[in-house]
Amino acid sequence: MLTEATAQPGSDGARWLAPGASFAERSIRHDAAYQEPRLRAAGVAPARYGSVSEAGLFGLDCFDSMTQAGLDIDGYVFLAQSYRQTAPVALGEAVRISGHVRHRETMSRGVLIDEIYRFTDARGRVLIETELTGLLADALGAAEPAGQPDAPTLPRRAELGRDGWELLIEKRVTPDDVRVFSQDVGNEIHFDADLAARYGFRAPLAQGIMSAVWLLSALADETGAPPAAFHAELRYLRPVFWDAGASLWVRRDRSGTVMAVESRNEDGKVTA
């Protein structure tokens, strides 16, 4: 439910909450039974994270906050996201999630939404902060090409040449993977082929958070020691369909540290 000071969805004639509106603060916990199947579905070995909660999965709780507020997120398409982790969350540790709408703008193809969420521990320390930017799209119709041509200019990563990229791993996304990963999200564009077609997509989409988890896994080394603190900026450039091949690429600095990560589709085009 919404906090007392916020308006109900649509009360101002809009499809989303007004800027400044807050989502109800609540306690959440990711244990092994929650984390492990979702990591496997995203193509990530759970052992890589050991007793630590994988940061990207907390993006799912952001969407849960949206649906618990009574918002209909069918047709929500990710554009960009940031993660700032100052300290790791232990697997099974209870944290509190709070969030608010930073910006809302009606555009020709729907509503552009920017939201900020914070995850705090029992002492009130902010362990993870994430900002989500997405388009709550209107139905496009199967004959109209999908995309966000009128989306605002977002901060872009530095342009990098195609040389120096290293292939880490390849995988094939399956409908079962998408169902397991996004089972509690509530956006039917990930499950319903007819609905996906209404928005101009040939098949249901793998969730953006699923790509984020795969991308962030490149920051964790093979011994199961993810970074205690990091700041990552993600951009979602192309849809990933639930029956598509994908590859993960990294670019390192001279010391071998991963500085940039890309996921690519079967045509070699960057998806995120």
Side-chain angles (χ1 to χ4, degrees):
M1 58 184 296
L2 299 182
T3 55
E4 185 176 352
T6 62
Q8 293 296 321
S11 62
D12 61 352
R15 294 185 61 199
W16 207 258
L17 302 179
S22 298
F23 297 95
E25 185 175 324
R26 56 197 176 89
S27 179
I28 60 170
R29 186 193 310 265
H30 290 184
D31 57 14
Y34 177 90
Q35 177 163 291
E36 291 182 4
R38 288 167 177 80
L39 289 183
R40 292 192 187 97
V44 178
R48 178 166 292 191
Y49 288 91
S51 61
V52 175
S53 294
E54 193 281 324
L57 287 174
F58 286 103
L60 295 173
D61 299 290
C62 301
F63 284 98
D64 195 31
S65 290
M66 298 177 203
T67 56
Q68 287 196 26
L71 301 175
D72 180 0
I73 64 172
D74 286 349
Y76 183 103
V77 179
F78 242 155
L79 299 178
Q81 185 177 19
S82 67
Y83 282 99
R84 289 175 289 274
Q85 178 173 294
T86 60
V89 179
L91 200 61
E93 177 184 1
V95 294
R96 297 194 68 80
I97 176 176
S98 60
H100 68 276
V101 179
R102 192 183 73 85
H103 178 75
R104 185 191 74 194
E105 182 179 352
T106 301
M107 312 191 83
S108 62
R109 289 194 172 181
V111 180
L112 184 78
I113 306 147
D114 190 70
E115 298 170 310
I116 295 177
Y117 294 87
R118 295 182 177 92
F119 298 83
T120 56
D121 66 8
R123 290 186 286 171
R125 297 182 304 166
V126 178
L127 303 182
I128 297 173
E129 181 178 76
T130 182
E131 183 171 355
L132 285 67
T133 302
L135 185 73
L136 186 63
D138 294 321
L140 302 178
E144 185 176 350
Q148 300 88 34
D150 56 359
T153 300
L154 298 168
R156 300 188 66 87
R157 63 174 173 80
E159 290 298 328
L160 297 173
R162 304 312 299 172
D163 59 320
W165 287 93
E166 169 193 345
L167 174 63
L168 280 189
I169 192 171
E170 295 178 294
K171 70 174 183 179
R172 177 159 292 279
V173 181
T174 71
D176 284 344
D177 289 337
V178 173
R179 291 187 186 102
V180 168
F181 190 89
S182 299
Q183 59 189 278
D184 49 3
V185 170
N187 187 351
E188 290 298 317
I189 203 168
H190 304 305
F191 314 112
D192 188 326
D194 291 337
L195 180 69
R198 284 174 50 201
Y199 287 93
F201 299 109
R202 70 162 183 80
L205 309 181
Q207 192 186 7
I209 299 294
M210 194 172 180
S211 290
V213 168
W214 204 37
L215 290 164
L216 292 174
S217 71
L219 304 182
D221 65 33
E222 284 70 21
T223 66
F230 67 90
H231 179 189
E233 299 283 345
L234 291 80
R235 288 179 55 81
Y236 303 98
L237 304 179
R238 291 179 176 86
V240 176
F241 299 107
W242 72 350
D243 57 358
S247 57
L248 191 66
W249 299 73
V250 298
R251 188 161 179 172
R252 306 178 187 272
D253 64 14
R254 291 183 178 180
S255 70
T257 301
V258 172
M259 300 302 295
V261 189
E262 288 184 349
S263 57
R264 304 179 188 176
N265 60 23
E266 293 166 301
D267 296 327
K269 295 180 179 179
V270 178
T271 55

